[in-house]
Amino acid sequence: MANKGTSSLAVSIHKIQQYLDCRYVSSSEACWRIFSLKIHTRKPIVEHMFFHLIGEKVVSFTGFERVENVLDNTSATKFMFAAWFIVNEKYEEARTPSYDQFVTKFGYEKRSRSWKPRKKGFSIGWLVWFPPTTGELFYLRMMFTVVKDTTYYEDIRKVGET
């Protein structure tokens, strides 16, 4: 039996060595590491622009929480997407960019769950990708690259109407 345990240990060590042997470090990555440059810091910041269909918000909770407590939680009712409508009502300059370009002029504060005008710097907006097979979500994403000045969810579907 002792031999059986040592052979499984040898197999796991072999797998680790195989991973290390197969890892590829490009010449540019090697130079960045040699000169101790930051590899994981990205400028400009890329902001993930989340959105959802009406009545299909994603809410996270643990299995021990009561449904009433989850729905009363502010994180379940205030979302980045819903806050965008509020900012469009409040600020005139928020109505000019589309949703994916919105982060160039406004920053999202996670603590207050609201958008605030940028004082300095900029970000790039990245709309969460959905495949064409998802239907409405895919087309909604396409609309966000065109639609501006929306204060209600229904306004997104009214492109070119006066």
Side-chain angles (χ1 to χ4, degrees):
M1 282 224 188
N3 291 341
K4 194 173 190 180
T6 55
S7 65
S8 67
L9 180 63
V11 170
S12 65
I13 292 172
H14 181 65
K15 287 180 182 178
I16 293 169
Q17 187 61 46
Q18 184 181 10
Y19 170 78
L20 293 173
D21 289 343
C22 292
R23 185 171 187 283
Y24 174 76
V25 177
S26 67
S27 57
S28 57
E29 182 182 350
C31 288
W32 279 77
R33 290 186 185 275
I34 289 169
F35 294 120
S36 301
L37 299 171
K38 293 181 181 179
I39 294 175
H40 298 291
T41 303
R42 306 277 191 248
K43 292 282 181 170
I45 296 169
V46 177
E47 183 79 45
H48 291 219
M49 306 295 289
F50 297 100
F51 58 92
H52 56 83
L53 295 173
I54 294 176
E56 294 187 15
K57 299 176 195 171
V58 176
V59 179
S60 300
F61 60 92
T62 63
F64 303 106
E65 291 182 80
R66 296 185 60 179
V67 175
E68 297 83 17
N69 295 343
V70 172
L71 296 176
D72 289 340
N73 190 354
T74 57
S75 66
T77 56
K78 289 190 170 185
F79 289 92
M80 177 186 283
F81 180 53
W84 177 58
F85 294 126
I86 295 167
V87 170
N88 279 336
E89 287 179 13
K90 190 174 181 181
Y91 297 101
E92 186 71 33
E93 63 271 12
R95 298 175 189 165
T96 310
S98 58
Y99 187 56
D100 61 331
Q101 298 169 344
F102 186 72
V103 293
T104 59
K105 297 187 180 213
F106 286 81
Y108 187 72
E109 292 183 0
K110 292 181 182 178
R111 286 187 176 210
S112 64
R113 296 189 182 267
S114 62
W115 292 96
K116 304 287 183 200
R118 278 195 187 280
K119 294 179 182 154
K120 63 178 185 171
F122 67 97
S123 292
I124 296 173
W126 180 74
L127 289 171
V128 177
W129 186 81
F130 289 99
T133 56
T134 57
E136 270 194 75
L137 278 172
F138 173 77
Y139 296 113
L140 181 63
R141 183 183 187 277
M142 298 298 288
M143 295 297 286
F144 282 131
T145 61
V146 180
V147 175
K148 300 173 184 175
D149 190 18
T150 57
T151 54
Y152 298 101
Y153 192 89
E154 293 78 23
D155 291 346
I156 298 169
R157 299 177 184 195
K158 299 176 185 176
V159 178
E161 290 185 19
T162 53

